[in-house]
Amino acid sequence: MTETATDHDVLVVGFGPTGAVAAGQLGRLGHRTLVVDRLTDVYDKPRAIALDHEIFRHLDNMGLADAISPHVEPFTASEHFGVDGQLIRRIDMVAKPYPLGYTPSMVFSQPAVEAELRRHATSFSNVKAELGVELVDLVQSPDRVEARLKGADGRHRSVTVRYLLGCDGASSTVRQIAGLGLEDLIFDEPWLVVDMRVNESALANLPQCSAQFCNPARPVSFLIGPNNHRRWEIMLLPGEDARQMEQPEQVWKLLSPWLTPQDGELWRAASYRFHALVAENWRNGRILIAGDAAHQQPPFIGQGMCQGLRDATNLVWKLDRVLTGTSSEALLDSYTVERKPHVIELTGRIKAIGQSICERDPAAARRRDAQALADGGGKPLLMTRQGSFRRCARDS
Ligand SMILES: Cc1cc2nc3c(=O)[nH]c(=O)nc-3n(C[C@H](O)[C@H](O)[C@H](O)COP(=O)(O)OP(=O)(O)OC[C@H]3O[C@@H](n4cnc5c(N)ncnc54)[C@H](O)[C@@H]3O)c2cc1C
């Protein structure tokens, strides 16, 4: 088909990590890219805290390693404690030399890294970013997509593009308008996520490793983030009101085994329902979705954002070939075919890990503890982080 002129080659909806990486890669390849986000700035609280060596390699290939390194640190070992508070498992880094040449697991500061991803994308003169601009509607025809945008001033305008990429997060407008339904991978749990900036003097009183407190009365994850950032992910119990549990007095009660209000700044406390969902199809003609718009998974091994960055990288080289006429549009069909099974497989492993560490039945939790110690020859089992992903899936 002969392409008619459009305002841009690609519209990226959403300037979160997935959209920023997609826009940066499209920019480097010379495509006329418009990226819009309805927020006027980077979301200033971290959601993702962990990334892995494969993702760091993607970012390094984009020329971003130096810019993001100040905001990234190695992931500490994680210790898992059983029903009676005993150490049952210790998960550490694989030994050097590291398989991909980078630290295999890392923690990072999401707002700072996202700001670098945006800076990179907008460093290309062919990438235009508009903040405070919301996609409200879209219509596709055989040779283009017409997107209706609402500006910060409330005014509407239309732009035409050859392809539209929905990186607009979990409640994606693009996914809904394109009629791309979600499959439920069956996971639905309420959790409270608490981020603290801990005072220097109180850091030594906290665990020096990340930890999973696999107590069936209330499973809790403790994560050591960069600098003085510490995170607690706390399962909410049946009957607890999520909004009420976010209130500072409730949060301090939950943190009382570790900290008092004098020990640091409560950065944020937010309750989430952790879901496992995947879009049935990730493409409808000239409309494609990526990142949380295409899938959501519980954060137990820190892979949600990583999956979105894999989506963007898988898709952009294909879009490049189609936009330059090197490949036919059929190449884009391989995007869902390649990415969806990977997301489903990884989500299955994440669920298996979650089910093991978050066992609520005390008898089953004791069996889990006994098995872990038996696997370690009567001592806490020592594993590598990447090895633990494989093992939990196999044992489930
Ligand atoms: C508690 C928690 C912990 C997590 N931990 C990890 C972790 O350790 N590691 C990891 O890899 N992942 C983790 N994740 C997941 C990770 O945060 C997400 O997968 C990631 O942020 C998704 O990025 P995204 O760009 O796809 O979507 P988002 O970050 O949601 O960005 C979507 C953007 O689209 C914009 N937008 C939405 N609708 C419109 C519209 N109509 N028009 C214009 N703009 C629009 C939004 O304003 C937003 O900026 C965690 C998530 C949570 C909740």
Side-chain angles (χ1 to χ4, degrees):
M1 176 182 304
T2 314
E3 298 282 352
T4 52
T6 53
D7 298 320
H8 308 273
D9 295 323
V10 182
L11 170 61
V12 178
V13 182
F15 210 11
T18 309
V21 165
Q25 295 186 356
L26 286 161
R28 187 170 58 85
L29 291 162
H31 300 295
R32 297 173 306 137
T33 304
L34 174 65
V35 52
V36 298
D37 200 294
R38 66 174 160 212
L39 299 181
T40 50
D41 213 336
V42 169
Y43 184 60
D44 68 350
K45 309 274 190 311
R47 288 158 295 156
I49 189 168
L51 54 81
D52 64 29
H53 48 176
E54 182 199 347
I55 297 310
F56 198 89
R57 183 172 60 179
H58 284 299
L59 299 172
D60 193 7
N61 286 341
M62 291 171 68
L64 278 160
D66 286 345
I68 65 169
S69 286
H71 314 295
V72 177
E73 289 180 12
F75 208 129
T76 60
S78 291
E79 293 187 332
H80 291 197
F81 298 94
V83 178
D84 300 314
Q86 77 280 32
L87 181 65
I88 55 169
R89 194 184 287 131
R90 183 181 161 91
I91 300 180
D92 212 339
M93 211 79 87
V94 293
K96 285 182 176 173
Y98 294 142
L100 300 189
Y102 306 99
T103 308
S105 304
M106 294 162 241
V107 289
F108 73 108
S109 173
Q110 185 173 9
V113 168
E114 270 194 58
E116 291 301 338
L117 298 180
R118 287 186 177 194
R119 240 190 300 281
H120 171 262
T122 51
S123 68
F124 298 100
S125 58
N126 46 312
V127 175
K128 188 170 178 212
E130 294 188 12
L131 301 180
V133 173
E134 181 178 3
L135 173 111
V136 290
D137 203 1
L138 54 93
V139 181
Q140 68 171 319
S141 50
D143 67 341
R144 62 174 60 196
V145 182
E146 184 173 336
R148 193 109 179 105
L149 303 177
K150 183 178 162 195
D153 58 4
R155 292 207 187 136
H156 288 77
R157 75 182 213 270
S158 290
V159 294
T160 55
V161 294
R162 290 174 66 187
Y163 290 93
L164 184 143
L165 184 47
C167 303
D168 50 343
S171 36
S172 169
T173 306
V174 173
R175 185 185 67 229
Q176 288 170 39
I177 298 177
L180 299 169
L182 289 174
E183 280 171 33
D184 193 345
L185 302 177
I186 320 291
F187 193 95
D188 181 18
E189 281 184 3
W191 282 74
L192 180 71
V193 177
V194 180
D195 288 294
M196 286 286 309
R197 286 176 169 139
V198 179
N199 295 342
E200 206 60 39
S201 56
L203 281 173
N205 303 331
L206 291 174
Q208 300 302 300
C209 290
S210 296
Q212 294 288 344
F213 299 100
C214 308
N215 180 353
R218 185 182 306 270
V220 173
S221 308
F222 168 75
L223 292 149
I224 298 188
N227 303 313
N228 64 342
H229 177 197
R230 299 291 179 271
R231 170 174 290 180
W232 283 259
E233 294 176 359
I234 303 167
M235 186 192 262
L236 294 180
L237 305 180
E240 284 179 338
D241 181 277
R243 292 284 89 80
Q244 219 188 332
M245 296 303 281
E246 292 172 349
Q247 299 308 311
E249 60 279 13
Q250 292 296 338
V251 172
W252 285 117
K253 258 191 226 163
L254 290 165
L255 293 190
S256 61
W258 298 280
L259 288 177
T260 69
Q262 285 69 48
D263 290 332
E265 176 204 344
L266 177 53
W267 197 1
R268 68 95 181 252
S271 57
Y272 289 91
R273 287 205 82 89
F274 292 159
H275 292 296
L277 300 165
V278 64
E280 283 157 11
N281 205 325
W282 300 20
R283 174 181 173 218
N284 173 351
R286 291 175 175 271
I287 302 165
L288 300 114
I289 52 174
D292 276 17
H295 45 76
Q296 291 138 51
Q297 49 267 294
F300 299 127
I301 57 171
Q303 279 291 313
M305 183 197 75
C306 297
Q307 290 288 43
L309 269 50
R310 291 186 188 107
D311 300 342
T313 303
N314 182 291
L315 184 56
V316 167
W317 72 265
K318 294 172 182 172
L319 265 179
D320 175 53
R321 289 184 67 91
V322 174
L323 285 164
T324 54
T326 319
S327 294
S328 79
E329 218 183 38
L331 179 63
L332 298 178
D333 289 333
S334 67
Y335 172 55
T336 308
V337 171
E338 289 173 4
R339 288 297 304 133
K340 185 178 168 186
H342 184 259
V343 163
I344 291 176
E345 170 72 27
L346 190 55
T347 305
R349 294 184 188 207
I350 293 167
K351 279 174 53 185
I353 289 170
Q355 274 150 10
S356 168
I357 60 181
C358 305
E359 178 60 63
R360 298 289 328 283
D361 172 10
R366 285 187 189 283
R367 284 196 295 279
R368 171 205 60 207
D369 296 354
Q371 185 63 52
L373 291 170
D375 289 348
K379 294 198 297 263
L381 181 62
L382 299 179
M383 319 172 75
T384 62
R385 201 174 295 282
Q386 273 72 20
S388 73
F389 302 167
R390 287 192 291 276
R391 180 172 197 121
C392 277
R394 197 199 62 205
D395 293 349
S396 67

